[in-house]
Amino acid sequence: MTKPRPKTLLAMGRAVAKRLVTDDVRERLVAVADIDPDLVIDDFADPAVAEVLAGAEVLYTSWWCPPITHDVLDKAPGLRAVVHAAGSVKHHITEACWQRGILVSSAAAANAEPVAEYTLASILFANKRVLDIARLYREHRAPLELDVRFPGFGNYRRTVGIVGASRIGRRVIELLRPFELDVLVADPYLTDDLGVPHVELDELFERCDVISLHAPSLPETRHLVDAGRLARMRDGATLINTARGALVDQDALIAELARGRLYAVIDVTEPDLLPADSPLYDLPNVLLTPHIAGSLGGELPRIAHLAVDELARYAQGVPFLHGVEAEELARSA
């Protein structure tokens, strides 16, 4: 007897759904689940969604999904699983979900790929001093004495530090393997061998030409990169942050950058949108981007399809490949 397709609802921001649920994603969703891909829930308290919520077995979620609280679960007594087409589930998966045994999956593995790619490009460009050289060339429009201005620049045998052996941190280490770089990793919870030296955090800050942050934002990691650790960095070293703004003491970083001693590639800040007068917009030794490292544009279907794969596994009665457990969240993004 064929198992019925699970009754599934889209729960996310409406603008997100327009970008995420492309024609091919829509076709696959309809094939594996009993779903109306035109119905998008962005407010569980809306009386208009009460009936469909009551019959839901799975929520296919993404960014801006409201929290799934006890009240929401009371309205959805048949809910058994949440498949998240994005990274972290901390924003909508509550303690109530774990208490009721809701199965949870995340597409964080797919979202890690563009972040790791952005990081790789940033590392290679930082060591090559690409942005500085491009700026000087544009200004002078003449030959430049590059070895005088940037002694030893380039990627051969430079030392790169990865802070956090997270999914993204591990993927960055993999992407760096073809290059003749020396890679170090620092993570107090790391127990397996990643094929690169595992060092203490302070030592990593002292030894590296480029340091890339991939740790979760937790109370104990707030301002992990403080004035003391920034002071340990080599003159001319680069700090890359694609993780969370709270990991860095931003005022201390700005002070170092204003002195011209360090470089930075910053994709995340605190607050997320900096005030218009922030020095980070104008400092020449800073590449500042508005949280673009993760999945955007043409990269969104990757996470949508991974989530559909997980939904298909659930429909077949097979365990998730990318399941999330409650205990993991204490040390993850």
Side-chain angles (χ1 to χ4, degrees):
M1 180 176 179
T2 303
K3 183 179 179 181
R5 292 176 300 156
K7 180 67 177 179
T8 303
L9 297 178
L10 296 180
M12 62 190 71
R14 295 178 187 274
V16 173
K18 288 181 180 179
R19 299 193 302 270
L20 190 75
V21 186
T22 57
D23 289 343
D24 53 342
V25 171
R26 173 189 292 257
E27 183 177 340
R28 292 191 64 209
L29 279 170
V30 171
V32 302
D34 178 3
I35 187 171
D36 178 358
D38 294 316
L39 175 63
V40 180
I41 298 175
D42 60 3
D43 180 4
F44 291 127
D46 183 351
V49 304
E51 184 176 347
V52 291
L53 195 57
E57 183 178 349
V58 181
L59 292 179
Y60 182 98
T61 64
S62 190
W63 293 286
W64 305 115
C65 174
I68 305 170
T69 62
H70 280 292
D71 288 344
V72 175
L73 292 173
D74 286 343
K75 297 173 185 177
L79 189 68
R80 297 292 178 266
V82 176
V83 175
H84 191 49
S88 176
V89 301
K90 285 186 175 182
H91 305 292
H92 66 301
I93 298 297
T94 67
E95 183 62 27
C97 296
W98 304 119
Q99 290 174 0
R100 300 207 188 182
I102 303 296
L103 301 174
V104 179
S105 171
S106 166
N111 194 49
E113 195 65 26
V115 181
E117 292 168 353
Y118 177 105
T119 302
L120 172 65
S122 298
I123 291 169
L124 298 178
F125 266 40
N127 281 328
K128 197 73 172 178
R129 293 289 180 246
V130 169
L131 296 177
D132 274 333
I133 293 170
R135 175 176 52 82
L136 289 169
Y137 191 40
R138 184 170 59 247
E139 291 173 359
H140 294 276
R141 307 186 186 207
L144 302 171
E145 294 182 313
L146 297 179
D147 286 317
V148 174
R149 291 178 181 269
F150 308 106
F153 78 106
N155 280 289
Y156 180 66
R157 288 303 175 210
R158 304 292 272 191
T159 303
V160 177
I162 303 300
V163 178
S166 61
R167 182 182 285 106
I168 297 171
R170 290 166 183 258
R171 181 59 178 145
V172 172
I173 290 172
E174 290 177 6
L175 293 178
L176 289 171
R177 293 199 194 282
F179 302 94
E180 293 180 279
L181 292 160
D182 297 320
V183 180
L184 307 176
V185 63
D187 188 319
Y189 299 106
L190 179 61
T191 57
D192 49 330
D193 183 5
L194 300 184
V196 299
H198 182 200
V199 300
E200 294 297 322
L201 190 59
D202 286 346
E203 180 183 349
L204 182 143
F205 270 78
E206 292 170 355
R207 292 176 56 183
C208 292
D209 300 292
V210 179
I211 296 168
S212 188
L213 305 181
H214 303 287
S217 181
L218 305 169
E220 57 267 34
T221 61
R222 178 168 178 78
H223 291 185
L224 183 73
V225 183
D226 57 11
R229 290 206 166 104
L230 290 168
R232 291 175 180 271
M233 292 178 69
R234 296 176 174 181
D235 290 351
T238 300
L239 180 71
I240 300 172
N241 190 6
T242 59
R244 292 291 184 268
L247 295 178
V248 180
D249 181 339
Q250 200 160 271
D251 290 339
L253 177 60
I254 289 173
E256 288 281 12
L257 293 169
R259 286 194 285 271
R261 198 179 73 80
L262 301 177
Y263 294 81
V265 177
I266 304 172
D267 189 53
V268 287
T269 55
E270 193 178 37
D272 291 334
L273 178 61
L274 290 171
D277 61 353
S278 171
L280 292 175
Y281 287 115
D282 299 312
L283 286 166
N285 46 344
V286 175
L287 172 62
L288 179 67
T289 52
H291 205 160
I292 65 168
S295 298
L296 292 171
E299 296 161 335
L300 288 172
R302 179 195 280 128
I303 62 174
H305 281 297
L306 185 146
V308 176
D309 290 344
E310 291 287 81
L311 179 56
R313 293 181 69 84
Y314 174 84
Q316 295 162 8
V318 178
F320 289 137
L321 277 180
H322 302 281
V324 179
E325 301 294 337
E327 55 270 21
E328 295 176 18
L329 296 185
R331 297 204 305 263
S332 67

